[in-house]
Amino acid sequence: MPNSIFLFDNLADAATLAASSTAGSTMAVANLQDYQRTKFWRSGAGTSSYVNGTLAAVREVSHLGLVDLNLSTVGTIRVQFWTDALGGSVGVLDKTVSPTLYIEDERTPSAYGSGLYGAGPYGIGAITQDQARNITIIPFGANIAAAYWRVTFTDTAGSYQQCGRLFLAKAVEFEQNLSYGWGAEAVDETVRRQSLGGQGYYNARDRRLRLRGNFEWLTEDERTRMTKRLINWGQHRPLIYSVFPESTNRGLVSTVYGRLESGGITNPGYGQNALAFTVLEDL
């Protein structure tokens, strides 16, 4: 099981982006850099499209995060990096995976078919995202330092491809994993009113996922770096946090795109550095 991770510094937000196609001016590729996940990029009609990116500065990245991707169970995502040019001759990564989708039928284990990301025998229809919003996290297996990259989306069961946010970041992962006792809750912000007769009226709103946890054994270097991130990020810059960064149902319901609601470093004992945090999902 992989350790839980934070994706803080999204290098894709400062990259120069270009898409193979766009459905319209309100669904432009620049929407992938907008903090609001509902301002999505949508491709033109077709079963395949891609997004090219050129980083403003070469820094190491280890993961790709795709928020609210609309691919079905037969869709694929291909990630490529080059050091010389887009589509160049010096490639340093070429990886193809399937999207992480929430499989609603919980009567059987969610094995997701063969392979790490798998296709699985779940049919070709698009999966309803329900209230468990989908985030696909793709680990590269190593840190990649290259300025030029392309993400290709293919889905023979769909007529266009769509994504709300694209994250390229070097994961923050601690030597000692998340402590027992972490929590997840659905925050219901439905507006409730009661009439004089006592009847209830409800204006339903989407639920937000709140994740909270503790890392009880940070090294001194981890403590120092995390303190700096807490200062830099505050409670206004978005990030991705995942308790289980894996292509399973438990991964999807324990991964959020949101912001730090709280975070603090303590020193509860000699040689012990601890982090307590809460992340609240953005809608």
Side-chain angles (χ1 to χ4, degrees):
M1 181 189 78
N3 282 5
S4 63
I5 60 171
F6 291 92
L7 299 182
F8 280 106
D9 196 2
N10 184 14
L11 300 189
D13 280 349
T16 301
L17 302 183
S20 57
S21 65
T22 299
S25 59
T26 60
M27 295 175 277
V29 71
N31 287 350
L32 292 173
Q33 297 170 316
D34 194 297
Y35 286 178
Q36 188 174 329
R37 66 194 297 172
T38 54
K39 290 185 177 180
F40 51 79
W41 161 74
R42 179 181 291 180
S43 73
T47 58
S48 185
S49 61
Y50 61 82
V51 173
N52 284 337
T54 302
L55 297 180
V58 178
R59 288 168 55 190
E60 289 185 337
V61 294
S62 62
H63 288 72
L64 170 68
L66 300 166
V67 178
D68 299 337
L69 189 62
N70 78 323
L71 300 189
S72 74
T73 51
V74 297
T76 61
I77 307 158
R78 184 183 183 188
V79 187
Q80 297 168 278
F81 275 84
W82 301 271
T83 57
D84 55 338
L86 282 166
S89 59
V90 187
V92 292
L93 180 72
D94 190 342
K95 183 171 186 175
T96 300
V97 302
S98 293
T100 302
L101 300 172
Y102 189 82
I103 305 302
E104 294 188 43
D105 186 356
E106 294 290 351
R107 291 174 295 178
T108 58
S110 52
Y112 274 74
S114 61
L116 180 61
Y117 287 88
Y122 294 105
I124 62 172
I127 298 297
T128 300
Q129 291 184 18
D130 202 3
Q131 291 292 313
R133 284 166 281 273
N134 99 48
I135 299 178
T136 295
I137 295 179
I138 303 171
F140 299 153
N143 293 329
I144 304 297
Y148 308 99
W149 50 271
R150 174 178 296 159
V151 182
T152 302
F153 307 99
T154 303
D155 190 357
T156 56
S159 58
Y160 62 86
Q161 296 76 56
Q162 178 176 299
C163 187
R165 288 283 277 146
L166 188 152
F167 253 71
L168 275 176
K170 184 176 180 179
V172 174
E173 179 179 347
F174 302 124
E175 282 187 21
Q176 300 294 323
N177 200 11
L178 189 68
S179 300
Y180 288 110
W182 66 272
E185 62 178 309
V187 180
D188 192 344
E189 297 174 334
T190 292
V191 178
R192 300 170 176 85
R193 293 290 183 269
Q194 191 177 70
S195 72
L196 292 175
Q199 295 80 22
Y201 296 88
Y202 303 88
N203 185 0
R205 298 183 181 179
D206 284 355
R207 269 63 71 202
R208 299 174 188 266
L209 183 62
R210 175 186 283 135
L211 298 177
R212 57 166 56 93
N214 293 276
F215 292 90
E216 296 182 342
W217 296 98
L218 303 186
T219 66
E220 288 206 17
D221 182 63
E222 289 171 344
R223 179 196 64 192
T224 300
R225 292 177 181 273
M226 194 62 194
T227 302
K228 181 180 177 182
R229 290 187 182 96
L230 292 175
I231 294 169
N232 288 340
W233 255 254
Q235 297 178 5
H236 66 280
R237 295 180 65 181
L239 56 93
I240 291 176
Y241 174 69
S242 182
V243 178
F244 302 107
E246 58 191 29
S247 57
T248 61
N249 280 354
R250 76 168 183 172
L252 278 175
V253 299
S254 63
T255 300
V256 295
Y257 169 74
R259 305 171 200 241
L260 285 168
E261 193 175 38
S262 66
I265 303 288
T266 59
N267 181 230
Y270 179 77
Q272 184 180 1
N273 305 293
L275 164 68
F277 70 95
T278 305
V279 180
L280 182 64
E281 184 178 29
D282 273 16
L283 298 180

